[in-house]
Amino acid sequence: MSLNQTPPLKKIRLGILVSGRGSNLKAIFQAIESGELSQVEIATVISNRPSAQGLLYAEEKGLNTTVFRPKLFPHREAYDQALLDYLKQQGIDLVILAGYSRIITPVLIQAFPQRILNIHPSLLPAYGGKGMLGMAVHEAVIAAGEKESGCTVHVVTEDVDAGPILGQRYVPVQPDDTSERLAEKVLAQEHSLYPEIISRVAAALLNQPKGVTVQ
Ligand code: GAR
């Protein structure tokens, strides 16, 4: 490199885990493409389901993709250990759960402290925890007659959906809202909240004097 060439800026390498539709992955990809989310790159997209729409989207966009099939592993810890080895091999700085249906074990959480983020379609701590996934959340909110709902981005810890909250968006629930209608409104908010929080976390990681390598 000649003296007047500046080295390329370090980007935070994202490992994105998807199990389904992948609309949050798409929102993150589009935010990167538009320059709104400039500090990160998607290093890999991983799924536990070969047919996940999100995985197909990633392939279409030419992203690096991988499937880890749960049935090939004797237990969750072995699965997460294989995932961890792969994430390390890919030099991943930040793990993004984007509609990922599996509960992450301490094997992964302890290796990426404060470096795994999740988006959840409710105002946590309400309507979180085991079994609270996707439409089940919106159905429970409607059944309880709540006046508002929303979405939350949080750090993943060993307590399901209970890690530190990094950001939330509120959505009013109208009396005639169905769970499907509420899901659409919440999802629209997720798509702007997640890139915004990832940008904030990436900026913080880049500013860490000790760098952003995984333990
Ligand atoms: C999103 O609504 C996300 O918040 C939810 O699954 C959906 C995935 O949509 N996540 C959870 O319920 C996690 N507990 P997507 O595949 O289109 O991004």
Side-chain angles (χ1 to χ4, degrees):
M1 191 188 312
S2 75
L3 280 178
N4 54 9
Q5 263 181 326
T6 45
L9 285 177
K10 156 85 183 148
K11 298 232 182 200
I12 295 298
R13 289 174 64 77
L14 304 182
I16 304 189
L17 272 59
V18 298
S19 298
R21 179 179 50 192
S23 69
N24 278 288
L25 163 67
K26 186 172 173 185
I28 295 163
F29 180 84
Q30 289 175 342
I32 295 171
E33 290 279 286
S34 72
E36 180 197 329
L37 183 50
S38 58
Q39 317 92 323
V40 306
E41 60 191 348
I42 300 177
T44 188
V45 174
I46 302 170
S47 186
N48 54 324
R49 298 205 179 114
S51 60
Q53 256 179 278
L55 195 69
L56 304 179
Y57 174 81
E59 279 164 9
E60 263 172 39
K61 295 295 173 191
L63 298 170
N64 172 34
T65 62
T66 310
V67 176
F68 281 82
R69 290 168 198 261
K71 64 178 178 204
L72 298 182
F73 298 89
H75 44 71
R76 287 179 174 277
E77 285 73 19
Y79 182 93
D80 277 1
Q81 185 60 55
L83 207 55
L84 173 59
D85 293 344
Y86 179 73
L87 292 168
K88 282 185 169 175
Q89 183 212 319
Q90 293 291 316
I92 299 305
D93 300 305
L94 187 61
V95 178
I96 302 295
L97 308 187
Y100 185 60
S101 61
R102 288 174 67 85
I103 299 215
I104 307 270
T105 67
V107 169
L108 203 53
I109 295 168
Q110 286 167 11
F112 280 86
Q114 318 281 328
R115 306 279 171 84
I116 307 178
L117 307 185
N118 181 42
I119 189 153
H120 185 82
S122 75
L123 296 172
L124 290 175
Y127 302 98
K130 282 185 186 162
M132 279 295 169
L133 206 71
M135 282 308 292
V137 176
H138 303 298
E139 281 158 14
V141 168
I142 295 284
E146 299 287 358
K147 298 273 182 296
E148 63 180 15
S149 190
C151 53
T152 304
V153 174
H154 66 95
V155 175
V156 173
T157 59
E158 290 176 31
D159 297 322
V160 179
D161 292 334
I165 290 175
L166 301 178
Q168 290 185 311
R169 288 278 166 80
Y170 290 77
V171 169
V173 182
Q174 304 300 343
D176 57 349
D177 270 346
T178 59
S179 47
E180 287 79 14
R181 176 76 193 116
L182 178 61
E184 273 173 34
K185 292 194 288 186
V186 170
L187 199 60
Q189 293 302 317
E190 292 183 35
H191 295 164
S192 76
L193 178 66
Y194 217 178
E196 183 187 308
I197 301 295
I198 292 169
S199 172
R200 221 171 72 199
V201 171
L205 289 174
L206 286 168
N207 284 331
Q208 276 187 7
K210 285 187 180 163
V212 292
T213 45
V214 175
Q215 282 183 345

